[in-house]
Amino acid sequence: MYLALKHTHVTAAVLSICFFIIRAWWSVSGSALLQKKFVRIAPHVIDTVLLACGLGMAGMLGAAAAAPWLYTKIVLLVAYIIVGTYAIKRGRTPQTRAIAAVIAVLIFMYIVGVALYRSPASWFI
């Protein structure tokens, strides 16, 4: 069961970042595609699956899940969400949205490193 959750989690993470990059590009370029119903709903579905699988795996790990790397992922996830809203919606200019998108992708990459190495140091170990 854990392996199925992990594979679903990783798949949702890949879909999430790919879709985020596409939406960020559309946001910066002012594309009307960003307003399509599917584009507004799909990220919530993907991210719900991503979070549910992550919580399921953390529950299966039990006390081991209370490791510093997991707390780091949670804090970085909140940062990613906040910066991501500036990349897609809240950024007032295309330049601001582009900078926020780059920062959000960097945060996401750091989260991936934390997950792979199970260390708050991420790629820097």
Side-chain angles (χ1 to χ4, degrees):
M1 182 65 169
Y2 180 84
L3 213 51
L5 279 177
K6 182 178 178 182
H7 287 297
T8 305
H9 182 74
V10 170
T11 301
V14 170
L15 289 172
S16 180
I17 193 62
C18 289
F19 205 47
F20 171 79
I21 291 169
I22 292 167
R23 291 181 310 128
W25 175 258
W26 288 342
S27 178
V28 169
S29 65
S31 174
L33 293 171
L34 200 56
Q35 301 309 316
K36 296 282 186 183
K37 187 174 185 176
F38 174 81
V39 174
R40 288 185 288 123
I41 295 171
H44 299 293
V45 173
I46 294 167
D47 293 342
T48 298
V49 170
L50 179 63
L51 183 60
C53 289
L55 291 172
M57 287 188 302
M60 287 180 174
L61 290 174
W69 67 271
L70 188 57
Y71 294 124
T72 302
K73 279 184 69 171
I74 292 167
V75 169
L76 289 170
L77 176 64
V78 172
Y80 170 73
I81 291 168
I82 292 169
V83 174
T85 63
Y86 282 91
I88 304 294
K89 295 178 186 175
R90 295 183 179 190
R92 293 184 185 191
T93 66
Q95 182 181 11
T96 302
R97 292 191 300 274
I99 292 168
V102 169
I103 293 169
V105 170
L106 290 173
I107 293 170
F108 187 90
M109 294 304 295
Y110 198 89
I111 292 170
V112 169
V114 170
L116 290 174
Y117 293 105
R118 291 192 175 191
S119 168
S122 186
W123 303 100
F124 300 105
I125 51 173

